[in-house]
Amino acid sequence: MADRHDEARPDASSHSESKSGTRFTRRGFLKGAGASAVTAAVAPAILVSEAGTASAQEAEGVMSATISLDVNGQSHNVEVEARTTLADALRDRLEITGPKVVCDKGECGACTVEMDGKLVFSCMTLAMDAQGRKIETVEGMADGDNLHPIQEAFVEKDALMCGFCTPGFLMSSKSLLDANDNPTPEEVREGLSGNICRCGTYPHVFEAVMSAAEKMRKGG
């Protein structure tokens, strides 16, 4: 019995035509599209090299470049592909594992970091786009063995369970309190709305942020 999809499948001959003596075919179109896709993937690495901000590999089909990332006040040279995300560069190349890759599509907030003082999802940010920016991860919050007041409050208020979401919540909380040191409970919930806790510890998280805000206002 014939496949029902065969009834709707166009005949290959219908995808070819002559124009100015040139024959266009579906196979030719797909080959051209494939070449365009490769060019699009390679272009960022080539452009970085031409701009003089990174040293790209000199090879046909170049797909990677060495870039410099400023993370928590330290400069790191790291080789990345054009498609490498900031999260992957931090975790896999630099072993800075605070940012967690959970949803990998910019929805849960576990990979949240600060870039030039603004929160970004590092799983949705290309590493090459982070070059020349000041990046701060949860590892940069503590001062040696002294925890940041927000980190202390998370411990005191039992605001973590499995811990995967915690680094993202800490970074979002820091950004919130840096901008507003006396937030209302509603402002705290709004400020952390980009972060998801699968364990459901939201009440403890909100309480921790309010407690940290009070402590920081008092110079703690």
Side-chain angles (χ1 to χ4, degrees):
M1 181 175 181
D3 191 324
R4 291 182 60 186
H5 291 287
D6 289 340
E7 300 175 4
R9 185 177 294 126
D11 184 78
S13 62
S14 66
H15 285 267
S16 62
E17 62 178 281
S18 295
K19 183 177 181 181
S20 300
T22 302
R23 180 180 176 84
F24 291 91
T25 65
R26 181 170 58 183
R27 176 175 296 180
F29 170 77
L30 291 175
K31 288 174 65 177
S36 298
V38 170
T39 301
V42 172
I46 296 176
L47 290 175
V48 168
S49 178
E50 291 178 347
T53 56
S55 176
Q57 293 181 349
E58 294 182 1
E60 185 177 357
V62 59
M63 292 294 289
S64 64
T66 299
I67 63 174
S68 178
L69 294 178
D70 182 344
V71 186
N72 299 324
Q74 294 186 346
S75 180
H76 304 268
N77 291 327
V78 55
E79 184 177 323
V80 297
E81 294 181 342
R83 63 182 178 177
T84 301
T85 64
L86 177 57
D88 288 339
L90 292 171
R91 293 177 56 80
D92 300 337
R93 272 58 164 197
L94 301 179
E95 297 185 359
I96 298 174
T97 57
K100 299 292 187 287
V101 178
V102 179
C103 72
D104 205 17
K105 54 184 178 181
E107 291 183 355
C108 73
C111 68
T112 301
V113 301
E114 278 193 353
M115 191 163 71
D116 286 345
K118 296 182 179 179
L119 295 178
V120 299
F121 292 144
S122 59
C123 77
M124 299 295 289
T125 304
L126 290 176
M128 289 185 176
D129 289 339
Q131 185 174 218
R133 310 288 187 88
K134 292 188 179 298
I135 303 161
E136 184 175 349
T137 71
V138 69
E139 285 88 348
M141 287 185 65
D143 182 11
D145 293 333
N146 298 318
L147 295 179
H148 190 283
I150 300 174
Q151 293 173 307
E152 291 180 340
F154 267 62
V155 174
E156 293 169 357
K157 302 300 181 181
D158 197 21
L160 62 160
M161 288 185 68
C162 76
F164 275 90
C165 69
T166 305
F169 268 107
L170 287 169
M171 294 305 300
S172 295
S173 300
K174 177 181 179 298
S175 178
L176 168 67
L177 296 186
D178 283 345
N180 180 6
D181 66 355
N182 190 20
T184 64
E186 291 75 17
E187 288 171 333
V188 170
R189 287 193 288 270
E190 175 64 24
L192 303 184
S193 60
N195 298 79
I196 294 175
C197 175
R198 296 171 188 255
C199 300
T201 56
Y202 296 108
H204 295 275
V205 170
F206 300 150
E207 185 180 0
V209 176
M210 294 296 291
S211 175
E214 181 179 2
K215 186 175 182 178
M216 291 169 67
R217 288 196 301 273
K218 295 178 180 179

